[in-house]
């Protein structure tokens, strides 16, 4: 397509905007920065002049504004994804200078990039349309400014202040997008929700999710509403529920989960729903229903926080949260939804590592489900594990569970409560899962100090116990 564009440009023609955006997107994916810079910074002014000549006078202003807005928005997104903040901010300012406002996807990419910054934040160009009144239930929101009008950067006084500034930028972007009828989709709302959660702005989160989002999405024009990106999804609910929990508002999370289960989820699973209609072309019905179960596993946070000295408490789990998760999983089964990988991994940890609920037979069933999900290449990435890291973490739980079960039955064997064959059966399964864990770890390239490496690594005592069992059974260790 690059050669097609070159021919169009040399012939004095203006490429159709969707095709030009596709060409720029391909250049970005191929890291062809030279071509991208040539088109956007070199050719765009001449393309606009050609467009001005060929466009009727009554449509000229809106067509030129739209052309610039889309092209510079693609620049914002491209630079933001490469973490080139200064260049993205420059493109942002060019859209504002043209009298428009960047599209929602570009704003989301920039906001996401700003959230990952640990230093000062740039001052973004203010919308040329002054804020006046509430839109879709949202009061006017303004971009944060520096200490003086000439400041180009805002110095965050602390990490908390930095998170607040990013959240305020997100709210101001949302207001301006609604003001310009640049209707945000679920991608922008997801990034904004994440920013509000990091800033612990739970009141704003609740207002956006309960008031602004529903009203704004109902106002999206019908010809845009048919696109999947403008529709809420189970993942949107998942982020909101998880965000409420992170903000410490468990009552709000309970309320949203009840609304999801009783109202949103039944609509999602209807054969005629837009969610099923759009997604069914890519995923199986089983995978789609498993996605609907994702919010069921966002309600409980089982691990207890470490002490001030960084020590893991004993026990490591919150039994009340464990009981809650088991009850919610019962509701998931009652609603006839298949289990996603997130839920299977969470329950596997319960049945192998929580003393009050250890059940290796149930853990074996879950391990079979996880293995099936892992090899299901047609499942979406939020339903199945995407790497061997998750698999190694699950098999680590299996090893841990069998070691604990063997130690318990060895005590019962001394008391004459179990047969030796029962202990040997557990030892055989331990040897199997230890080799599975080792095989998964061999396919993961992680350093010893890597956080993920620490998460999937067994302790020396556990490795020695498992290897000793393998030797007693005359089985290979790896």
């Amino acid at each position: 397509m690059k050669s097609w564009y070159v021919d169009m440009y040399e012939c004095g023609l203006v490429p159709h905007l969707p095709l030009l955006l596709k060409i720029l997107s391909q250049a970005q994916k191929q890291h062809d920065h030279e071509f991208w810079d040539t088109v956007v910074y070199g050719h765009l002014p001449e393309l606009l002049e050609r467009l001005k000549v060929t466009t009727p006078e009554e449509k000229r202003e809106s067509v030129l504004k739209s052309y610039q807005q889309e092209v510079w928005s693609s620049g914002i997104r491209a630079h933001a994804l490469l973490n080139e903040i200064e260049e993205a901010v420059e493109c942002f300012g060019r859209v504002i200078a043209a009298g428009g406002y960047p599209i929602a996807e570009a704003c989301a990419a920039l906001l996401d990039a700003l959230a990952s910054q640990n230093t000062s934040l740039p001052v973004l160009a203010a919308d040329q349309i002054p804020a006046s009144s509430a839109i879709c239930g949202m009061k006017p929101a303004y971009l944060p400014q520096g200490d003086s009008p000439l400041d180009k950067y805002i110095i965050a006084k602390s990490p908390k202040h930095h998170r607040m500034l990013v959240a305020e930028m997100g709210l101001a972007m949302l207001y301006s997008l609604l003001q310009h009828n640049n209707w945000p989709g679920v991608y922008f709302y997801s990034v904004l929700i994440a920013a509000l959660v990091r800033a612990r702005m739970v009141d704003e989160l609740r207002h956006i999710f309960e008031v602004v989002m529903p009203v704004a999405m109902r106002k999206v024009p019908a010809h845009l509403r048919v696109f999947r990106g403008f529709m809420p999804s189970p993942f949107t609910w998942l982020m909101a529920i998880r965000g409420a929990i992170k903000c410490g508002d468990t009552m709000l999370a309970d309320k949203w989960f009840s609304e999801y289960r009783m109202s949103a989820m039944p609509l999602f699973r209807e054969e005629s729903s837009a969610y099923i209609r759009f997604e069914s072309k890519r995923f199986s019905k089983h995978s789609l229903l498993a996605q609907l179960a994702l919010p069921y596993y966002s309600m409980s946070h089982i691990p207890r926080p470490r002490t001030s000295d960084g020590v893991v408490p004993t026990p490591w789990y919150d039994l009340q949260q464990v009981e809650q998760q088991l009850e919610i999983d019962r509701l998931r089964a009652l609603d006839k939804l298949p289990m996603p990988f997130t839920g299977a991994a969470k329950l596997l940890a319960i049945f192998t590592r929580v003393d009050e609920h250890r059940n290796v037979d149930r853990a074996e069933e879950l391990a079979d489900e996880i293995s099936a999900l892992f090899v299901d290449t047609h499942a979406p990435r939020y339903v199945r594990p995407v790497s061997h890291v998750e698999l190694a973490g699950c098999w680590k739980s299996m090893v841990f569970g069998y070691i604990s079960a063997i130690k318990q039955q060895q005590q019962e064997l001394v008391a004459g409560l179990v047969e030796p064959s029962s202990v040997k059966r557990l030892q055989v399964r331990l040897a199997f899962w230890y080799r599975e864990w080792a095989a998964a770890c061999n396919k993961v390239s992680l350093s010893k100090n890597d956080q993920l490496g620490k998460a999937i690594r067994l302790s020396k005592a556990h490795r020695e116990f498992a290897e000793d069992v393998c030797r007693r059974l005359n089985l290979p260790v790896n």
Side-chain angles (χ1 to χ4, degrees), residues 133-141 170-179 182-186 188-190 192-193 196 201-220 230 232 236 255-256:
S133 58
I135 304 175
C136 297
M138 183 179 183
K139 295 180 180 179
L171 292 171
M173 286 178 178
L174 175 58
Y175 183 84
S176 294
L177 286 168
L178 297 175
Q179 201 170 28
N182 289 354
W183 303 105
V186 293
F188 178 84
Y189 285 118
S190 296
L192 177 59
I193 288 172
L196 294 175
M201 298 172 67
V202 67
D203 292 336
E204 289 79 359
L205 170 65
R206 181 172 191 160
H207 185 69
I208 294 298
F209 189 70
E210 292 188 348
V211 179
V212 180
M213 265 184 64
V215 174
M217 286 183 169
R218 282 197 296 270
K219 288 190 175 183
V220 173
F230 284 97
T236 314
K255 172 178 177 289
W256 282 347

Side-chain angles (χ1 to χ4, degrees), residues 304-314 316 451 454:
R304 294 168 61 196
R306 292 174 179 262
T307 64
S308 57
D309 299 329
V311 178
V312 177
T314 303
W316 65 271
Q451 197 65 31
K454 293 179 180 178

Side-chain angles (χ1 to χ4, degrees), residues 433-446:
W433 286 115
Y434 182 73
R435 294 197 301 274
E436 289 292 305
W437 168 81
C441 287
N442 288 337
K443 296 179 181 179
V444 179
S445 300
L446 297 172

